[in-house]
Amino acid sequence: MLTVDFSRFPLAPGDRVLDLGCGAGRHAFECYRRGAQVVALDQNGEEIREVAKWFAAMEEAGEAPAGASATAMEGDALNLPFPDDSFDVVIISEVMEHIPDDKGVLAEMVRVLRPGGRIAVTVPRYGPEKVCWTLSDAYHEVEGGHIRIYRGDELLGKMREAGLEPYGTHHAHGLHSPYWWLKCAFGVDNDKALPVQAYHKLLVWDIMKKPLATRLAERALNPVIGKSFVVYATKPHLPQAAAAEPAAAEAGESAAPATPAAEPAAGTAAKARKAAPGTKSGAKAPAKSGAKPAAKRSSGAAK
């Protein structure tokens, strides 16, 4: 069950992808199938070990095309173990509502995303999430649970403040909101309630079979009660004026008359340019987080 719509968020073979807070790995697996070079990162070591097993099984079954790669690693979203501009694509799905320093997470994602790269952010939608909070304190008052409900304009504003340029939004999982309302009404840990069991079977059937009836129903429900709010954005390139300044400076320098006084200065500038260090491409060892794993209650109905 994917929250990111890859028809709106194109992925090319060979793209370097970071699935941040990957959880069980659903988006990482899809990116791997599409030929990307995937890094799935999460602070939950148990989930990361499971994701690594699935990556190995996919490779053995030939599900990933030649040139694709996949790595699962434990790490901290606030201290990513990668150099600047390491990835073409970053995905963070149903994670930011768990993290107190959401601006810090956005800053780290922007840092590791290359200029011109794309990012997809998904969070629980305000309306359906507010119903869950109203029906049940246990839904969100748990260690590592949801600590905020985003309004759409709030999330867009924080992404713009971080330096991103949003270019598209939509809602997803309209069929899943009633399931979570039932869970909250009957008890989030009460899986024996008949309405909850019946609706869960419907969702599993929908995920496995993808019948036309439920696809049409979800398409109609998404704008109204879609469980997730999805935003797509890009990291802009350097402004053309800023990028042109070094070129203009060099052009002016080369056009200057070669007087005895100017020649040493030009030589010094050339040496400085040659001596400028390049960006390292090797990733540091993953920094493990001491925080306990987050309870991602809204990441999907079928666990």
Side-chain angles (χ1 to χ4, degrees):
M1 184 190 72
L2 299 174
T3 307
V4 173
D5 182 350
F6 286 96
S7 68
R8 310 184 194 206
F9 189 66
L11 192 69
D15 275 351
R16 300 163 297 168
V17 177
L18 172 63
D19 185 2
L20 182 56
C22 64
R26 56 203 173 102
H27 288 106
F29 300 149
E30 180 64 20
C31 293
Y32 188 32
R33 290 188 189 98
R34 290 172 178 260
Q37 298 174 12
V38 183
V39 175
L41 183 144
D42 201 286
Q43 69 173 2
N44 188 326
E46 291 183 8
E47 287 193 310
I48 283 299
R49 285 187 286 275
E50 284 300 310
V51 171
K53 291 177 183 177
W54 279 106
F55 279 152
M58 289 173 67
E59 181 180 13
E60 185 176 346
E63 290 189 34
S69 64
T71 302
M73 61 189 298
E74 192 173 344
D76 184 354
L78 289 165
N79 185 25
L80 295 174
F82 311 109
D84 297 354
D85 308 337
S86 294
F87 295 95
D88 303 298
V89 173
V90 176
I91 296 172
I92 183 167
S93 183
E94 311 300 306
V95 173
M96 288 181 57
E97 67 275 10
H98 297 272
I99 302 176
D101 187 8
D102 57 345
K103 290 185 177 181
V105 173
L106 279 169
E108 273 293 87
M109 289 190 291
V110 172
R111 180 184 67 79
V112 302
L113 183 65
R114 68 165 176 81
R118 303 174 307 286
I119 188 168
V121 179
T122 89
V123 297
R125 184 183 186 175
Y126 183 86
E129 185 75 349
K130 189 69 175 178
V131 173
C132 289
W133 283 45
T134 302
L135 290 172
S136 171
D137 290 337
Y139 172 81
H140 63 95
E141 290 183 357
V142 294
E143 185 176 358
H146 299 185
I147 62 170
R148 70 172 64 82
I149 308 176
Y150 285 101
R151 291 187 181 274
D153 55 356
E154 176 193 1
L155 178 59
L156 288 166
K158 288 185 176 183
M159 291 175 68
R160 290 189 180 102
E161 287 177 11
L164 295 167
E165 293 182 352
Y167 68 83
T169 66
H170 66 90
H171 299 99
H173 309 316
L175 286 175
H176 289 246
S177 290
Y179 171 78
W180 284 103
W181 297 341
L182 288 171
K183 289 273 288 181
C184 290
F186 286 94
V188 291
D189 296 319
N190 180 12
D191 293 328
K192 295 182 179 179
L194 290 179
V196 174
Q197 288 184 341
Y199 205 102
H200 185 267
K201 288 181 180 178
L202 169 68
L203 292 179
V204 172
W205 176 65
D206 172 57
I207 292 170
M208 300 300 294
K209 301 297 185 180
K210 297 181 174 61
L212 178 61
T214 56
R215 281 187 285 141
L216 291 175
E218 182 146 274
R219 189 179 303 173
L221 289 172
N222 280 342
V224 184
I225 58 170
K227 186 75 171 68
S228 295
F229 177 55
V230 187
V231 183
Y232 306 114
T234 60
K235 176 179 176 179
H237 291 278
L238 288 173
Q240 290 185 354
E245 285 179 4
E250 287 191 15
E253 184 179 275
S254 62
T259 61
E263 286 175 0
T268 302
K271 290 177 180 178
R273 284 194 296 273
K274 291 180 181 178
T279 304
K280 294 182 179 178
S281 60
K284 301 176 184 177
K288 293 188 178 179
S289 170
K292 294 183 179 179
K296 300 180 184 175
R297 290 194 175 273
S298 68
S299 60
K303 297 290 184 183

